[in-house]
Amino acid sequence: MLRAKATTTSRALLPARHQLLKRLRTNRTLRTSAVRLNGGGAPFDPKAIERAEDEVDVCIVGGGPAGLSAAIRLKQLEREKGNEIRVVVLEKGSEIGSHVLSGAVIEPRALDELLPEWRSMADHPLTQPATSSKMLFLTKNMSLPIPHPPQMGNKGNYIVSLSQFTRWLAQVAENEYGVEIYPGFAGAQLLLSDTADATDNWGRRVRSVRGVVTNEVGLTKEFRMKGSFEPGMAFRAKVTLLAEGAHGSLAKQAIQHYDLRREAEPQTYAIGLKEVWRVDPSQYKAGTVQHFLGWPLDSQTYGGGWVYHMDDGLVSLGLVVALDYKNPYMSPYRELQKMKHHPFFRALLEGGERVGYGARALTEGGYQSLPKLAFPGGALLGCSAGVVNIAKIKGTHNAMKSGMLAAESAWEAVQKKNAEAAEAEAEEGAEEKPTDMTGYDTAFHNSWVRDDLYEVRNLRPSFGTQLGIWGGIIYSGIDSLLLKGRVPWTFKHHRPANAADAMTDGTSSLDSSLTERAEKHTPIEYPPFEPPLSTDLMTSVALTGTNHAEDQPVHLRVVKTRDFVRATQGLNGDGATVNAAVGAGVGAVRAEAEVGAATEADVEEERRRREEHVRVNVGEYAGLLERACPAGVYEYVDVEGEGSSEGTWNGKKLVINSQNCIHCKLCDIKVPTQDITWTVPEGSGGPKYTVT
C-alpha cells in the first residue's frame, strides 16, 4: 500500500492508455518524474517518483463479472437518479476476458436482475442452454452413474466461455452505459490516507483507502530504470471496489491491513485446470453437462472432473483439485492428463483437436469463510470475497450480485460524501471523511447470495474428515436431499493434526499447512503422455498465449505477504523507508540500497529468505512447486561452482520462470512455507484466454 500522489503509465500498444493519457493531458497538468529524465540504468527510487493523478468517484479493480456488474449498476443508478458518477474499471489483462477462466455453466439469476432484456440484446454469448445434467463415479476403467445433489441441476442455465461472456459484458458497460474501462492497468498498491482517519470493524484507528496505484513500467529485473520508464498511475477514488478474483493481490493487502478475517474461518481453495476441445461431430451432444468423482484422485483428495458440451461443437473439460491435498508429489496437471486416459475420455476426444488450456485457483470455503466485506474507503466483491457455491460448482451468479449490491452501497456512499464535501467548502478547515461502505456488508447478508451459500455451508467441510470422500458423499447426500442446510451446526474447515502447523494470520493459507512432508509419501508414477490426447506441460502452456517481458521485476516475490505489505508501506521501523523490491531478488534489493530505500541488512535478509525457502521446500517437501504449478514457473536447479549470491541450500537454488505465469495464484496458496507473494506484473502481461 502506498501513500502517494498519483500517476499515469503509457503503453505503446494499448489504445486505452493512449485515450486516458490524451484526456489527462487535456484536462490537467501532468508532473514528470525527475528520475525518469535521468535515463536508463539508475536504481528505482520510490521517494523521488512524482505520479500523474486522476480523480474518480468509484475505482473498480478487476474487469470480471463482479467488477463489470458493479460498474453497470452504478451507471444505471446514475440514469435513474440523475446524479453523474464517474466509474473506472482497471483490468490487468491486455483486454477484458484475457485473464478469465472458468468451466463454465452460468445460472442467469443475477444477469436477469442486472439486464432484464439481455435475451433480446445483440451478440450475447449465452447461446447454449444446458439440456441435461449427470454425475458419474469413475474407476480406472468404468464410469458409473450416481445421483447428483439437487443444487447441481442445470435447468435454465447456460454453458458458456466465461472469457467471452465477460468481453460481452464489458461491451455493454462501455457502449450502453459509458463505463470507462482501461485494460493493461495493473492495480499494484492500495493508496492510503496520510493519517489514521477512520475506524475499522474492530474499533481501531486506521488509514482509509483512497484509491489505487498501478504498476511501474520500464523497470529491469534488478529494479533499474530503462529509458522507457514510466511511473505507475494513481487513481484517487471516493470508493475502491476490489474484484480481482480468488486470492487477489490488493484484496490480500486489504485483508491484512484491516484484519478482515478475524471472525471468519480461513479461506480454502482448489485449482481448476481446463481444456477446450473441438470434438468429432459424432461425440458432440450440445448442452450436455457431466460431473465426475473418483479416479484419478485418491479417496483422501477432494475434487472431481467435468465435461460441458458448449456451442459450436466445442467441449470444455477439466479437473478441480482441492489445494488441501496431502501428498507433495502430486501434480494437478499430470492428474488431468491421466484422467484423459480413461476410456470415457478416450472415446470423447478421439479424432478431436485441443484448442485451449488454462488454470485458475477458486475459492471453496463458502459461507463460513466470508471475511468482513467492507473496509474504510472500499469493499471486496465476487471471488475476492469468496462467493463460489461449491455444491453447485458455480459462482458467477453470486459474484455478479455481490457487485450489484456493492454498487448500490457505493452510490449512496458517494452521494453522502459529495454532500459532506459541499458542507466542508462552506466550513473552512473541515476534515474530509473516509467513505463508509458498511451498508454493503449488511445488504450482502440480507440477500439471496447469503442464502445460496448458507444452505450448502456444511457440504465441503464434510469431506475433510478421516472418512475422506466417502464420508463427504454420505453427509452431503443427506444434507442436500433432506436437511437442505436447516441444521443448527456449521462445520469448521479441518486443521492439520499438529495445530502448531496451522497458519494463523489473515493472508496465509490453511491449505498449505495441510501438506504433509515428503518422507510420508512415495513419488507418484504418472503414465507417459500420449499426444495429442495428453501432452507435456509446455505444449499446453503454449495454448494460453501467455507472455511477459522477460526483463522486468519478478512479480512472484519470495517473501511472506505480511512482510511484503510492511516493507512496501514503509512500516518496518521509522516509517520512511519503502523497499519496493522486497522479495524480488538480491540484485533488486541491492539496487534499492543504492538509493537508501533498503539497507545492507535488507540485502542479506533477501538472500537468507531464499536460502530458507530452498531448504524447507526441497529438503522437506521435495520441491512441491515444480509439480504443483500448472505453468512450469518454478524450478530447483543444481548450482554450479561455488554457489549463488541469491541464496542456495545443499547445492540447489530456486529459479522462477515468471514469464510462464498464467496468474492462477496456486503458488501463493499452496507453498508450504507461505513465502511466495503473488504481485501484479506490468499491465497486459499474462495469458490471453479467448475460449475459456
Side-chain angles (χ1 to χ4, degrees):
M1 304 176 195
L2 294 177
R3 285 176 302 208
K5 298 174 184 174
T7 324
T8 326
T9 48
S10 72
R11 299 287 156 71
L13 299 178
L14 291 173
R17 291 183 178 279
H18 285 273
Q19 293 166 12
L20 180 57
L21 286 168
K22 183 178 179 181
R23 188 182 60 76
L24 284 170
R25 290 185 179 114
T26 301
N27 296 328
R28 64 183 76 230
T29 300
L30 295 185
R31 291 164 293 189
T32 303
S33 167
V35 292
R36 180 186 169 195
L37 300 180
N38 288 338
F44 172 67
D45 185 355
K47 291 182 184 177
I49 295 298
E50 292 186 29
R51 303 181 181 278
E53 67 178 23
D54 198 10
E55 294 186 1
V56 304
D57 291 311
V58 180
C59 181
I60 301 170
V61 183
L68 292 170
S69 296
I72 291 171
R73 184 66 189 127
L74 280 162
K75 298 300 275 187
Q76 287 175 339
L77 289 167
E78 175 186 81
R79 289 184 181 179
E80 293 169 13
K81 302 192 177 184
N83 295 330
E84 185 177 353
I85 187 167
R86 186 173 174 214
V87 181
V88 164
V89 176
L90 305 181
E91 166 55 42
K92 63 183 173 66
S94 59
E95 61 181 48
I96 295 295
S98 63
H99 288 182
V100 175
L101 179 142
S102 182
V105 177
I106 288 183
E107 180 180 313
R109 182 176 185 178
L111 182 61
D112 288 340
E113 293 183 15
L114 181 67
L115 300 170
E117 305 300 321
W118 68 265
R119 290 173 178 82
S120 63
M121 297 174 70
D123 301 323
H124 76 76
L126 281 74
T127 55
Q128 181 56 66
T131 58
S132 64
S133 294
K134 296 180 181 178
M135 178 167 276
L136 301 171
F137 187 89
L138 297 185
T139 67
K140 186 175 181 179
N141 295 306
M142 294 189 294
S143 52
L144 308 173
I146 58 174
H148 67 65
Q151 293 88 353
M152 293 180 70
N154 283 296
K155 184 178 181 180
N157 296 338
Y158 294 84
I159 304 171
V160 300
S161 156
L162 197 62
S163 174
Q164 294 175 354
F165 173 76
T166 303
R167 277 195 290 277
W168 171 75
L169 204 59
Q171 291 171 4
V172 173
E174 277 192 308
N175 299 336
E176 301 295 327
Y177 291 98
V179 175
E180 296 176 50
I181 300 176
Y182 298 114
F185 280 68
Q189 295 285 325
L190 295 176
L191 184 65
L192 298 181
S193 59
D194 291 330
T195 61
D197 61 347
T199 301
D200 70 5
N201 293 291
W202 322 114
R204 305 176 303 170
R205 294 296 291 173
V206 294
R207 291 153 60 193
S208 62
V209 171
R210 296 304 178 105
V212 300
V213 179
T214 63
N215 219 354
E216 326 295 352
V217 180
L219 290 177
T220 69
K221 186 176 182 179
E222 295 196 343
F223 264 71
R224 296 183 181 276
M225 292 178 292
K226 304 174 187 177
S228 59
F229 174 75
E230 289 279 355
M233 177 178 182
F235 287 82
R236 292 188 173 275
K238 295 167 185 172
V239 176
T240 302
L241 301 180
L242 303 181
E244 306 165 287
H247 215 60
S249 53
L250 293 187
K252 286 202 308 173
Q253 292 182 32
I255 289 168
Q256 170 78 21
H257 190 65
Y258 299 109
D259 199 13
L260 300 180
R261 290 206 184 281
R262 181 183 291 191
E263 293 180 345
E265 280 287 285
Q267 186 58 265
T268 65
Y269 299 88
I271 184 71
L273 302 100
K274 174 179 180 176
E275 295 182 355
V276 178
W277 285 68
R278 185 172 298 282
V279 299
D280 186 280
S282 65
Q283 296 297 321
Y284 177 63
K285 301 174 183 177
T288 296
V289 173
Q290 295 165 310
H291 292 108
F292 305 87
L293 288 176
W295 193 88
L297 301 179
D298 62 45
S299 64
Q300 294 300 310
T301 302
Y302 182 80
W306 79 83
V307 166
Y308 303 152
H309 289 247
M310 306 164 68
D311 200 3
D312 194 31
L314 295 177
V315 169
S316 162
L317 66 88
L319 181 67
V320 172
V321 180
L323 290 179
D324 60 355
Y325 67 82
K326 298 175 181 179
N327 187 347
Y329 290 109
M330 176 184 282
S331 164
Y333 177 80
R334 297 300 299 267
E335 296 290 337
L336 171 62
Q337 301 308 305
K338 180 180 176 181
M339 184 180 79
K340 290 186 294 178
H341 292 181
H342 190 280
F344 176 93
F345 286 92
R346 284 185 184 276
L348 173 66
L349 302 177
E350 184 177 0
E353 177 190 7
R354 187 174 58 161
V355 297
Y357 166 77
R360 185 65 170 93
L362 61 144
T363 59
E364 288 192 337
Y367 173 79
Q368 50 269 65
S369 294
L370 289 171
K372 291 290 186 181
L373 302 179
F375 50 83
L380 304 176
L381 280 60
C383 287
S384 287
V387 297
V388 172
N389 182 321
I390 202 64
K392 288 183 176 181
I393 320 179
K394 297 177 185 65
T396 303
H397 62 301
N398 286 340
M400 293 179 67
K401 181 62 175 179
S402 74
M404 295 158 63
L405 293 168
E408 291 164 1
S409 295
W411 170 269
E412 297 298 333
V414 168
Q415 303 312 310
K416 181 179 179 182
K417 194 171 182 66
N418 289 343
E420 290 173 349
E423 292 177 9
E425 277 187 24
E427 298 178 33
E428 280 192 36
E431 292 186 3
E432 182 184 6
K433 297 179 182 178
T435 307
D436 181 6
M437 282 290 293
T438 54
Y440 163 55
D441 216 318
T442 302
F444 181 96
H445 285 280
N446 288 331
S447 74
W448 55 255
V449 181
R450 180 266 182 196
D451 297 339
D452 191 67
L453 296 175
Y454 187 80
E455 179 182 330
V456 300
R457 69 194 183 282
N458 289 326
L459 303 194
R460 172 62 181 95
S462 72
F463 285 83
T465 69
Q466 292 299 316
L467 297 177
I469 190 173
W470 302 113
I473 289 174
I474 293 169
Y475 180 86
S476 296
I478 295 171
D479 197 331
S480 61
L481 292 170
L482 302 176
L483 303 177
K484 299 188 181 299
R486 297 187 294 265
V487 294
W489 56 80
T490 296
F491 293 158
K492 293 184 176 182
H493 298 306
H494 59 296
R495 304 296 200 271
N498 181 4
D501 290 337
M503 299 295 179
T504 55
D505 68 86
T507 56
S508 290
S509 162
L510 176 63
D511 293 325
S512 68
S513 64
L514 290 157
T515 311
E516 294 179 346
R517 287 166 174 77
E519 63 187 17
K520 292 187 175 182
H521 299 271
T522 57
I524 299 173
E525 293 187 16
Y526 287 103
F529 298 117
E530 299 180 25
L533 176 65
S534 59
T535 67
D536 66 88
L537 180 56
M538 288 301 102
T539 299
S540 294
V541 173
L543 293 171
T544 68
T546 296
N547 183 58
H548 298 86
E550 289 196 31
D551 190 18
Q552 66 170 290
V554 174
H555 65 279
L556 303 156
R557 304 293 187 91
V558 185
V559 60
K560 293 182 184 296
T561 296
R562 62 174 182 269
D563 296 332
F564 173 81
V565 171
R566 289 169 184 161
T568 53
Q569 278 187 264
L571 298 180
N572 288 330
D574 61 10
T577 301
V578 175
N579 179 8
V582 64
V586 170
V589 176
R590 184 171 285 123
E592 293 300 272
E594 292 179 28
V595 294
T599 66
E600 285 303 316
D602 293 327
V603 175
E604 176 57 26
E605 177 63 14
E606 186 78 6
R607 186 202 62 76
R608 187 206 63 78
R609 273 196 300 265
R610 295 253 167 166
E611 179 181 328
E612 181 65 7
H613 171 94
V614 177
R615 183 190 71 79
V616 176
N617 285 282
V618 173
E620 298 182 20
Y621 295 95
L624 174 147
L625 286 180
E626 286 188 310
R627 292 173 296 279
C629 174
V633 171
Y634 296 91
E635 295 180 274
Y636 297 97
V637 302
D638 294 328
V639 179
E640 297 181 2
E642 297 183 0
S644 166
S645 62
E646 285 289 336
T648 64
W649 175 83
N650 203 25
K652 294 281 190 181
K653 72 172 183 178
L654 171 66
V655 174
I656 300 176
N657 304 304
S658 55
Q659 66 272 19
N660 289 359
C661 180
I662 58 175
H663 299 202
C664 75
K665 313 296 177 66
L666 177 145
C667 55
D668 193 321
I669 297 165
K670 187 59 177 174
V671 64
T673 44
Q674 282 297 275
D675 57 358
I676 298 291
T677 293
W678 196 98
T679 66
V680 290
E682 289 186 2
S684 81
K688 291 179 171 58
Y689 295 137
T690 57
V691 294
T692 58

